[in-house]
Amino acid sequence: MEILLIGNTDFVTKQWIEHTFPQDKVVVALRKGTESSGEDLKIIDMPDRDAVSEVFSNYEFDRIVYFSEDLTPRSERDGDLGYLRRLLHTVRNRKVQMLMVSGPESEFAYPQETDVHETSKSLMSRAGEELGLYYARTYDLEVKIVRCPYLYAPQRNGVTAYFNGLFEQAQAGELRFHERAEQRTCFLCADDLAELIYRIFDDWTADSELFHVPNVFDFTYGDLGTLIAGYFPGTKVVYGEDRPQAYPADDHELRLRYGFSPRYSLREDFPHVIEGWLKLRENKTDKYPVWDFLRSHNKWWTVLEIIGAFLLTEWLRTFTQGNSQLETVDLRLLFVVIVGTIYGLHAGVFAAVLACAGVAMSYASQGASFAPLFYDTSNWLAFVIYFVAGSVCGYVQSRNQESVRFVRDENGLLRNRLDFLRGLYQDVLGDRRQLRDQIIGRRDSFGKLYAVTRELDEVQPQKLYHTAIRIMQESLDSDSLAIFRVDNGGQFARLVAASPRFDVGSFRSVRVSDYGEIITALEHNGI
């Protein structure tokens, strides 16, 4: 079967897919902003409606698993409902099995004495579930919904938006939770979800159903804060004052029907999560922080290069004083033109400012007063030329850079589109090749017809009848077969080939009129 994993797929890994769909072909669809696991998975990009429609026009998915955005705590990504509606609208009237995995937002209950019984996220989560059930009723889709706690994946080294934020805060020295310390956490290991999805599809029914995954582990945010602070000594942990949330108790439905119960606790998996994250951060740490700073701050590097070129220009002017030929060359103007041509408009103007400062310093070094410099307009010509040269050269360079950037971005989009279409083409070609091998390889139905036709097509004409006898013996499992040729008048049929065990006797030439079924078949051009 072909499986599509779509939505919030941050936790999906190759190991997770092998656990959930061991014998199926799985495709992972990524939206914009979704993190990739970095493993060798079949990945397709589906950022918009056109991509969704194009993918489903080339693939025939048997099962779809949609992961809601609220599986990640405090996610800031929007557009979940619109994306889900496009997906459901695309797969309507298709024979697919769709499993929607939503987060715990719609399950949370609040104390009765408070005025808040619903939140915006719980309303959106429930709206997504209702949307799936609506398409199931209207378009005969087979939809099942699983409400489960927030997901975490030890194999991904804690690479989720929520845990990344917590670890980075702790590394900075202060860890902040919106929840109270006594608030119970609500997390489910992705491996447990993999086991549940496998069992649901293994015992799939056409009825639309809603399942609740229990939160069976007693683990509070205070315990989580203590664990994180243990890996970052000196970290200050601050807890919030959010309203307490209660997750429903286990209704035992999943245990009774599928024999499922969560096995992995965040308390036990946490050392693997954070140690993997720390190792990943250690590998990314640059051994040369100065060069890392310069690579990440190109503007500062550019400023240093321009200032260095200006100092070199002033040194050359001092060194060439007294040389009649070199004094005719305005090195400051050359400096402005070169900087503007290489770095663009802003750098060209900055170089002109430095050149003007160099002229002012030259006047000061000669003991001249600045008053004639400002009041005599003829002295302004050099400053005007510097700024004009820097602006013009910089503008030309900036315009060329913008043109190059535009072409590069356009080529990037076309390249992504080409990679996307190439992936679709390769998948379609692979399916075609697989289907052809299945048809040709089978010894019944069309596979047998193809094999027989190919074998007869390669036989010499004089051996055609005897080869046909042999093929018919193998196909019909009989060793008493004969082929007769009817003359043009349709009166007699003469024996042209027979199997070795066929009793020829008086069958060398037979009268067609003695066989009524044969006459009827011949008259109606039948067999």
mmCIF file with all atom_site columns, all heavy atoms in Angstrom, residues 33-55:
data_model
loop_
_atom_site.group_PDB
_atom_site.id
_atom_site.type_symbol
_atom_site.label_atom_id
_atom_site.label_alt_id
_atom_site.label_comp_id
_atom_site.label_asym_id
_atom_site.label_entity_id
_atom_site.label_seq_id
_atom_site.pdbx_PDB_ins_code
_atom_site.Cartn_x
_atom_site.Cartn_y
_atom_site.Cartn_z
_atom_site.occupancy
_atom_site.B_iso_or_equiv
_atom_site.pdbx_formal_charge
_atom_site.auth_seq_id
_atom_site.auth_comp_id
_atom_site.auth_asym_id
_atom_site.auth_atom_id
_atom_site.pdbx_PDB_model_num
ATOM 1   N N   . GLY A 1 33 ? 8.257  25.388 6.623   1.00 0.00 ? 33 GLY A N   1
ATOM 2   C CA  . GLY A 1 33 ? 8.558  25.524 8.039   1.00 0.00 ? 33 GLY A CA  1
ATOM 3   C C   . GLY A 1 33 ? 8.646  24.220 8.786   1.00 0.00 ? 33 GLY A C   1
ATOM 4   O O   . GLY A 1 33 ? 8.985  24.209 9.964   1.00 0.00 ? 33 GLY A O   1
ATOM 5   N N   . THR A 1 34 ? 8.367  23.099 8.126   1.00 0.00 ? 34 THR A N   1
ATOM 6   C CA  . THR A 1 34 ? 8.462  21.799 8.778   1.00 0.00 ? 34 THR A CA  1
ATOM 7   C C   . THR A 1 34 ? 9.905  21.325 8.755   1.00 0.00 ? 34 THR A C   1
ATOM 8   O O   . THR A 1 34 ? 10.565 21.380 7.724   1.00 0.00 ? 34 THR A O   1
ATOM 9   C CB  . THR A 1 34 ? 7.560  20.766 8.087   1.00 0.00 ? 34 THR A CB  1
ATOM 10  O OG1 . THR A 1 34 ? 6.218  21.229 8.118   1.00 0.00 ? 34 THR A OG1 1
ATOM 11  C CG2 . THR A 1 34 ? 7.642  19.427 8.799   1.00 0.00 ? 34 THR A CG2 1
ATOM 12  N N   . GLU A 1 35 ? 10.396 20.855 9.898   1.00 0.00 ? 35 GLU A N   1
ATOM 13  C CA  . GLU A 1 35 ? 11.762 20.375 9.977   1.00 0.00 ? 35 GLU A CA  1
ATOM 14  C C   . GLU A 1 35 ? 11.869 18.976 9.392   1.00 0.00 ? 35 GLU A C   1
ATOM 15  O O   . GLU A 1 35 ? 10.995 18.145 9.594   1.00 0.00 ? 35 GLU A O   1
ATOM 16  C CB  . GLU A 1 35 ? 12.241 20.355 11.428  1.00 0.00 ? 35 GLU A CB  1
ATOM 17  C CG  . GLU A 1 35 ? 12.360 21.737 12.040  1.00 0.00 ? 35 GLU A CG  1
ATOM 18  C CD  . GLU A 1 35 ? 13.104 21.690 13.358  1.00 0.00 ? 35 GLU A CD  1
ATOM 19  O OE1 . GLU A 1 35 ? 14.071 20.914 13.438  1.00 0.00 ? 35 GLU A OE1 1
ATOM 20  O OE2 . GLU A 1 35 ? 12.718 22.393 14.281  1.00 0.00 ? 35 GLU A OE2 1
ATOM 21  N N   . SER A 1 36 ? 12.948 18.752 8.664   1.00 0.00 ? 36 SER A N   1
ATOM 22  C CA  . SER A 1 36 ? 13.206 17.422 8.115   1.00 0.00 ? 36 SER A CA  1
ATOM 23  C C   . SER A 1 36 ? 14.098 16.651 9.071   1.00 0.00 ? 36 SER A C   1
ATOM 24  O O   . SER A 1 36 ? 14.941 17.226 9.756   1.00 0.00 ? 36 SER A O   1
ATOM 25  C CB  . SER A 1 36 ? 13.876 17.524 6.744   1.00 0.00 ? 36 SER A CB  1
ATOM 26  O OG  . SER A 1 36 ? 14.246 16.252 6.276   1.00 0.00 ? 36 SER A OG  1
ATOM 27  N N   . SER A 1 37 ? 13.904 15.341 9.118   1.00 0.00 ? 37 SER A N   1
ATOM 28  C CA  . SER A 1 37 ? 14.706 14.512 10.019  1.00 0.00 ? 37 SER A CA  1
ATOM 29  C C   . SER A 1 37 ? 16.126 14.325 9.518   1.00 0.00 ? 37 SER A C   1
ATOM 30  O O   . SER A 1 37 ? 16.982 13.850 10.247  1.00 0.00 ? 37 SER A O   1
ATOM 31  C CB  . SER A 1 37 ? 14.043 13.145 10.191  1.00 0.00 ? 37 SER A CB  1
ATOM 32  O OG  . SER A 1 37 ? 14.031 12.448 8.961   1.00 0.00 ? 37 SER A OG  1
ATOM 33  N N   . GLY A 1 38 ? 16.399 14.689 8.274   1.00 0.00 ? 38 GLY A N   1
ATOM 34  C CA  . GLY A 1 38 ? 17.725 14.513 7.721   1.00 0.00 ? 38 GLY A CA  1
ATOM 35  C C   . GLY A 1 38 ? 18.024 13.097 7.274   1.00 0.00 ? 38 GLY A C   1
ATOM 36  O O   . GLY A 1 38 ? 19.141 12.791 6.893   1.00 0.00 ? 38 GLY A O   1
ATOM 37  N N   . GLU A 1 39 ? 17.037 12.221 7.308   1.00 0.00 ? 39 GLU A N   1
ATOM 38  C CA  . GLU A 1 39 ? 17.233 10.836 6.916   1.00 0.00 ? 39 GLU A CA  1
ATOM 39  C C   . GLU A 1 39 ? 16.767 10.625 5.484   1.00 0.00 ? 39 GLU A C   1
ATOM 40  O O   . GLU A 1 39 ? 16.144 11.487 4.876   1.00 0.00 ? 39 GLU A O   1
ATOM 41  C CB  . GLU A 1 39 ? 16.487 9.905  7.867   1.00 0.00 ? 39 GLU A CB  1
ATOM 42  C CG  . GLU A 1 39 ? 16.980 9.999  9.316   1.00 0.00 ? 39 GLU A CG  1
ATOM 43  C CD  . GLU A 1 39 ? 16.250 9.037  10.229  1.00 0.00 ? 39 GLU A CD  1
ATOM 44  O OE1 . GLU A 1 39 ? 15.312 8.387  9.760   1.00 0.00 ? 39 GLU A OE1 1
ATOM 45  O OE2 . GLU A 1 39 ? 16.623 8.951  11.410  1.00 0.00 ? 39 GLU A OE2 1
ATOM 46  N N   . ASP A 1 40 ? 17.098 9.459  4.983   1.00 0.00 ? 40 ASP A N   1
ATOM 47  C CA  . ASP A 1 40 ? 16.778 9.124  3.588   1.00 0.00 ? 40 ASP A CA  1
ATOM 48  C C   . ASP A 1 40 ? 15.318 8.681  3.503   1.00 0.00 ? 40 ASP A C   1
ATOM 49  O O   . ASP A 1 40 ? 15.014 7.496  3.459   1.00 0.00 ? 40 ASP A O   1
ATOM 50  C CB  . ASP A 1 40 ? 17.710 8.027  3.081   1.00 0.00 ? 40 ASP A CB  1
ATOM 51  C CG  . ASP A 1 40 ? 17.513 7.761  1.599   1.00 0.00 ? 40 ASP A CG  1
ATOM 52  O OD1 . ASP A 1 40 ? 16.912 8.622  0.929   1.00 0.00 ? 40 ASP A OD1 1
ATOM 53  O OD2 . ASP A 1 40 ? 17.948 6.705  1.120   1.00 0.00 ? 40 ASP A OD2 1
ATOM 54  N N   . LEU A 1 41 ? 14.407 9.645  3.501   1.00 0.00 ? 41 LEU A N   1
ATOM 55  C CA  . LEU A 1 41 ? 12.983 9.367  3.393   1.00 0.00 ? 41 LEU A CA  1
ATOM 56  C C   . LEU A 1 41 ? 12.474 9.880  2.056   1.00 0.00 ? 41 LEU A C   1
ATOM 57  O O   . LEU A 1 41 ? 13.106 10.727 1.415   1.00 0.00 ? 41 LEU A O   1
ATOM 58  C CB  . LEU A 1 41 ? 12.209 10.039 4.530   1.00 0.00 ? 41 LEU A CB  1
ATOM 59  C CG  . LEU A 1 41 ? 12.643 9.709  5.962   1.00 0.00 ? 41 LEU A CG  1
ATOM 60  C CD1 . LEU A 1 41 ? 11.826 10.503 6.949   1.00 0.00 ? 41 LEU A CD1 1
ATOM 61  C CD2 . LEU A 1 41 ? 12.518 8.234  6.241   1.00 0.00 ? 41 LEU A CD2 1
ATOM 62  N N   . LYS A 1 42 ? 11.332 9.373  1.649   1.00 0.00 ? 42 LYS A N   1
ATOM 63  C CA  . LYS A 1 42 ? 10.684 9.885  0.443   1.00 0.00 ? 42 LYS A CA  1
ATOM 64  C C   . LYS A 1 42 ? 9.923  11.138 0.821   1.00 0.00 ? 42 LYS A C   1
ATOM 65  O O   . LYS A 1 42 ? 8.875  11.085 1.467   1.00 0.00 ? 42 LYS A O   1
ATOM 66  C CB  . LYS A 1 42 ? 9.748  8.808  -0.134  1.00 0.00 ? 42 LYS A CB  1
ATOM 67  C CG  . LYS A 1 42 ? 8.990  9.289  -1.368  1.00 0.00 ? 42 LYS A CG  1
ATOM 68  C CD  . LYS A 1 42 ? 9.944  9.743  -2.446  1.00 0.00 ? 42 LYS A CD  1
ATOM 69  C CE  . LYS A 1 42 ? 9.196  10.311 -3.635  1.00 0.00 ? 42 LYS A CE  1
ATOM 70  N NZ  . LYS A 1 42 ? 10.113 10.843 -4.662  1.00 0.00 ? 42 LYS A NZ  1
ATOM 71  N N   . ILE A 1 43 ? 10.472 12.286 0.438   1.00 0.00 ? 43 ILE A N   1
ATOM 72  C CA  . ILE A 1 43 ? 9.929  13.583 0.852   1.00 0.00 ? 43 ILE A CA  1
ATOM 73  C C   . ILE A 1 43 ? 9.380  14.307 -0.364  1.00 0.00 ? 43 ILE A C   1
ATOM 74  O O   . ILE A 1 43 ? 10.018 14.358 -1.419  1.00 0.00 ? 43 ILE A O   1
ATOM 75  C CB  . ILE A 1 43 ? 11.013 14.452 1.520   1.00 0.00 ? 43 ILE A CB  1
ATOM 76  C CG1 . ILE A 1 43 ? 11.619 13.714 2.716   1.00 0.00 ? 43 ILE A CG1 1
ATOM 77  C CG2 . ILE A 1 43 ? 10.441 15.774 1.948   1.00 0.00 ? 43 ILE A CG2 1
ATOM 78  C CD1 . ILE A 1 43 ? 10.676 13.476 3.843   1.00 0.00 ? 43 ILE A CD1 1
ATOM 79  N N   . ILE A 1 44 ? 8.190  14.887 -0.218  1.00 0.00 ? 44 ILE A N   1
ATOM 80  C CA  . ILE A 1 44 ? 7.637  15.763 -1.238  1.00 0.00 ? 44 ILE A CA  1
ATOM 81  C C   . ILE A 1 44 ? 7.172  17.040 -0.553  1.00 0.00 ? 44 ILE A C   1
ATOM 82  O O   . ILE A 1 44 ? 6.752  17.024 0.599   1.00 0.00 ? 44 ILE A O   1
ATOM 83  C CB  . ILE A 1 44 ? 6.456  15.112 -2.001  1.00 0.00 ? 44 ILE A CB  1
ATOM 84  C CG1 . ILE A 1 44 ? 5.356  14.678 -1.025  1.00 0.00 ? 44 ILE A CG1 1
ATOM 85  C CG2 . ILE A 1 44 ? 6.925  13.939 -2.831  1.00 0.00 ? 44 ILE A CG2 1
ATOM 86  C CD1 . ILE A 1 44 ? 4.131  14.116 -1.696  1.00 0.00 ? 44 ILE A CD1 1
ATOM 87  N N   . ASP A 1 45 ? 7.288  18.158 -1.238  1.00 0.00 ? 45 ASP A N   1
ATOM 88  C CA  . ASP A 1 45 ? 6.840  19.442 -0.712  1.00 0.00 ? 45 ASP A CA  1
ATOM 89  C C   . ASP A 1 45 ? 5.425  19.722 -1.195  1.00 0.00 ? 45 ASP A C   1
ATOM 90  O O   . ASP A 1 45 ? 5.143  19.665 -2.386  1.00 0.00 ? 45 ASP A O   1
ATOM 91  C CB  . ASP A 1 45 ? 7.776  20.574 -1.159  1.00 0.00 ? 45 ASP A CB  1
ATOM 92  C CG  . ASP A 1 45 ? 9.162  20.427 -0.555  1.00 0.00 ? 45 ASP A CG  1
ATOM 93  O OD1 . ASP A 1 45 ? 9.224  20.026 0.625   1.00 0.00 ? 45 ASP A OD1 1
ATOM 94  O OD2 . ASP A 1 45 ? 10.150 20.705 -1.238  1.00 0.00 ? 45 ASP A OD2 1
ATOM 95  N N   . MET A 1 46 ? 4.545  20.063 -0.258  1.00 0.00 ? 46 MET A N   1
ATOM 96  C CA  . MET A 1 46 ? 3.152  20.371 -0.595  1.00 0.00 ? 46 MET A CA  1
ATOM 97  C C   . MET A 1 46 ? 2.771  21.680 0.095   1.00 0.00 ? 46 MET A C   1
ATOM 98  O O   . MET A 1 46 ? 1.999  21.710 1.052   1.00 0.00 ? 46 MET A O   1
ATOM 99  C CB  . MET A 1 46 ? 2.224  19.243 -0.156  1.00 0.00 ? 46 MET A CB  1
ATOM 100 C CG  . MET A 1 46 ? 2.449  17.966 -0.943  1.00 0.00 ? 46 MET A CG  1
ATOM 101 S SD  . MET A 1 46 ? 1.504  16.552 -0.342  1.00 0.00 ? 46 MET A SD  1
ATOM 102 C CE  . MET A 1 46 ? -0.147 17.168 -0.356  1.00 0.00 ? 46 MET A CE  1
ATOM 103 N N   . PRO A 1 47 ? 3.345  22.806 -0.361  1.00 0.00 ? 47 PRO A N   1
ATOM 104 C CA  . PRO A 1 47 ? 3.107  24.065 0.339   1.00 0.00 ? 47 PRO A CA  1
ATOM 105 C C   . PRO A 1 47 ? 1.775  24.721 0.029   1.00 0.00 ? 47 PRO A C   1
ATOM 106 O O   . PRO A 1 47 ? 1.304  25.570 0.770   1.00 0.00 ? 47 PRO A O   1
ATOM 107 C CB  . PRO A 1 47 ? 4.267  24.944 -0.155  1.00 0.00 ? 47 PRO A CB  1
ATOM 108 C CG  . PRO A 1 47 ? 4.555  24.418 -1.529  1.00 0.00 ? 47 PRO A CG  1
ATOM 109 C CD  . PRO A 1 47 ? 4.281  22.944 -1.478  1.00 0.00 ? 47 PRO A CD  1
ATOM 110 N N   . ASP A 1 48 ? 1.126  24.368 -1.069  1.00 0.00 ? 48 ASP A N   1
ATOM 111 C CA  . ASP A 1 48 ? -0.096 25.080 -1.444  1.00 0.00 ? 48 ASP A CA  1
ATOM 112 C C   . ASP A 1 48 ? -1.089 24.117 -2.070  1.00 0.00 ? 48 ASP A C   1
ATOM 113 O O   . ASP A 1 48 ? -0.856 22.916 -2.195  1.00 0.00 ? 48 ASP A O   1
ATOM 114 C CB  . ASP A 1 48 ? 0.221  26.233 -2.412  1.00 0.00 ? 48 ASP A CB  1
ATOM 115 C CG  . ASP A 1 48 ? 1.071  25.770 -3.591  1.00 0.00 ? 48 ASP A CG  1
ATOM 116 O OD1 . ASP A 1 48 ? 0.962  24.585 -3.971  1.00 0.00 ? 48 ASP A OD1 1
ATOM 117 O OD2 . ASP A 1 48 ? 1.828  26.580 -4.122  1.00 0.00 ? 48 ASP A OD2 1
ATOM 118 N N   . ARG A 1 49 ? -2.219 24.687 -2.501  1.00 0.00 ? 49 ARG A N   1
ATOM 119 C CA  . ARG A 1 49 ? -3.305 23.889 -3.056  1.00 0.00 ? 49 ARG A CA  1
ATOM 120 C C   . ARG A 1 49 ? -2.901 23.227 -4.360  1.00 0.00 ? 49 ARG A C   1
ATOM 121 O O   . ARG A 1 49 ? -3.241 22.069 -4.604  1.00 0.00 ? 49 ARG A O   1
ATOM 122 C CB  . ARG A 1 49 ? -4.524 24.786 -3.272  1.00 0.00 ? 49 ARG A CB  1
ATOM 123 C CG  . ARG A 1 49 ? -5.747 24.056 -3.809  1.00 0.00 ? 49 ARG A CG  1
ATOM 124 C CD  . ARG A 1 49 ? -6.859 25.046 -4.077  1.00 0.00 ? 49 ARG A CD  1
ATOM 125 N NE  . ARG A 1 49 ? -7.137 25.838 -2.898  1.00 0.00 ? 49 ARG A NE  1
ATOM 126 C CZ  . ARG A 1 49 ? -7.915 26.928 -2.904  1.00 0.00 ? 49 ARG A CZ  1
ATOM 127 N NH1 . ARG A 1 49 ? -8.442 27.332 -4.039  1.00 0.00 ? 49 ARG A NH1 1
ATOM 128 N NH2 . ARG A 1 49 ? -8.122 27.593 -1.800  1.00 0.00 ? 49 ARG A NH2 1
ATOM 129 N N   . ASP A 1 50 ? -2.183 23.938 -5.204  1.00 0.00 ? 50 ASP A N   1
ATOM 130 C CA  . ASP A 1 50 ? -1.786 23.349 -6.487  1.00 0.00 ? 50 ASP A CA  1
ATOM 131 C C   . ASP A 1 50 ? -0.901 22.134 -6.283  1.00 0.00 ? 50 ASP A C   1
ATOM 132 O O   . ASP A 1 50 ? -1.044 21.121 -6.980  1.00 0.00 ? 50 ASP A O   1
ATOM 133 C CB  . ASP A 1 50 ? -1.061 24.401 -7.334  1.00 0.00 ? 50 ASP A CB  1
ATOM 134 C CG  . ASP A 1 50 ? -1.982 25.559 -7.724  1.00 0.00 ? 50 ASP A CG  1
ATOM 135 O OD1 . ASP A 1 50 ? -3.206 25.341 -7.741  1.00 0.00 ? 50 ASP A OD1 1
ATOM 136 O OD2 . ASP A 1 50 ? -1.479 26.660 -7.978  1.00 0.00 ? 50 ASP A OD2 1
ATOM 137 N N   . ALA A 1 51 ? 0.028  22.226 -5.321  1.00 0.00 ? 51 ALA A N   1
ATOM 138 C CA  . ALA A 1 51 ? 0.908  21.088 -5.066  1.00 0.00 ? 51 ALA A CA  1
ATOM 139 C C   . ALA A 1 51 ? 0.126  19.898 -4.539  1.00 0.00 ? 51 ALA A C   1
ATOM 140 O O   . ALA A 1 51 ? 0.383  18.754 -4.927  1.00 0.00 ? 51 ALA A O   1
ATOM 141 C CB  . ALA A 1 51 ? 1.999  21.490 -4.065  1.00 0.00 ? 51 ALA A CB  1
ATOM 142 N N   . VAL A 1 52 ? -0.855 20.142 -3.675  1.00 0.00 ? 52 VAL A N   1
ATOM 143 C CA  . VAL A 1 52 ? -1.673 19.049 -3.142  1.00 0.00 ? 52 VAL A CA  1
ATOM 144 C C   . VAL A 1 52 ? -2.415 18.345 -4.273  1.00 0.00 ? 52 VAL A C   1
ATOM 145 O O   . VAL A 1 52 ? -2.421 17.110 -4.376  1.00 0.00 ? 52 VAL A O   1
ATOM 146 C CB  . VAL A 1 52 ? -2.659 19.578 -2.082  1.00 0.00 ? 52 VAL A CB  1
ATOM 147 C CG1 . VAL A 1 52 ? -3.634 18.485 -1.673  1.00 0.00 ? 52 VAL A CG1 1
ATOM 148 C CG2 . VAL A 1 52 ? -1.911 20.104 -0.873  1.00 0.00 ? 52 VAL A CG2 1
ATOM 149 N N   . SER A 1 53 ? -3.042 19.122 -5.156  1.00 0.00 ? 53 SER A N   1
ATOM 150 C CA  . SER A 1 53 ? -3.794 18.529 -6.265  1.00 0.00 ? 53 SER A CA  1
ATOM 151 C C   . SER A 1 53 ? -2.876 17.772 -7.208  1.00 0.00 ? 53 SER A C   1
ATOM 152 O O   . SER A 1 53 ? -3.226 16.693 -7.700  1.00 0.00 ? 53 SER A O   1
ATOM 153 C CB  . SER A 1 53 ? -4.545 19.631 -7.022  1.00 0.00 ? 53 SER A CB  1
ATOM 154 O OG  . SER A 1 53 ? -5.415 20.332 -6.161  1.00 0.00 ? 53 SER A OG  1
ATOM 155 N N   . GLU A 1 54 ? -1.690 18.324 -7.459  1.00 0.00 ? 54 GLU A N   1
ATOM 156 C CA  . GLU A 1 54 ? -0.780 17.673 -8.406  1.00 0.00 ? 54 GLU A CA  1
ATOM 157 C C   . GLU A 1 54 ? -0.252 16.363 -7.850  1.00 0.00 ? 54 GLU A C   1
ATOM 158 O O   . GLU A 1 54 ? -0.095 15.383 -8.578  1.00 0.00 ? 54 GLU A O   1
ATOM 159 C CB  . GLU A 1 54 ? 0.381  18.620 -8.724  1.00 0.00 ? 54 GLU A CB  1
ATOM 160 C CG  . GLU A 1 54 ? 1.244  18.142 -9.863  1.00 0.00 ? 54 GLU A CG  1
ATOM 161 C CD  . GLU A 1 54 ? 2.141  19.241 -10.382 1.00 0.00 ? 54 GLU A CD  1
ATOM 162 O OE1 . GLU A 1 54 ? 2.079  20.362 -9.857  1.00 0.00 ? 54 GLU A OE1 1
ATOM 163 O OE2 . GLU A 1 54 ? 2.893  18.973 -11.328 1.00 0.00 ? 54 GLU A OE2 1
ATOM 164 N N   . VAL A 1 55 ? 0.025  16.336 -6.543  1.00 0.00 ? 55 VAL A N   1
ATOM 165 C CA  . VAL A 1 55 ? 0.510  15.101 -5.936  1.00 0.00 ? 55 VAL A CA  1
ATOM 166 C C   . VAL A 1 55 ? -0.539 14.006 -6.028  1.00 0.00 ? 55 VAL A C   1
ATOM 167 O O   . VAL A 1 55 ? -0.239 12.869 -6.407  1.00 0.00 ? 55 VAL A O   1
ATOM 168 C CB  . VAL A 1 55 ? 0.910  15.357 -4.465  1.00 0.00 ? 55 VAL A CB  1
ATOM 169 C CG1 . VAL A 1 55 ? 1.094  14.034 -3.735  1.00 0.00 ? 55 VAL A CG1 1
ATOM 170 C CG2 . VAL A 1 55 ? 2.187  16.170 -4.396  1.00 0.00 ? 55 VAL A CG2 1
#
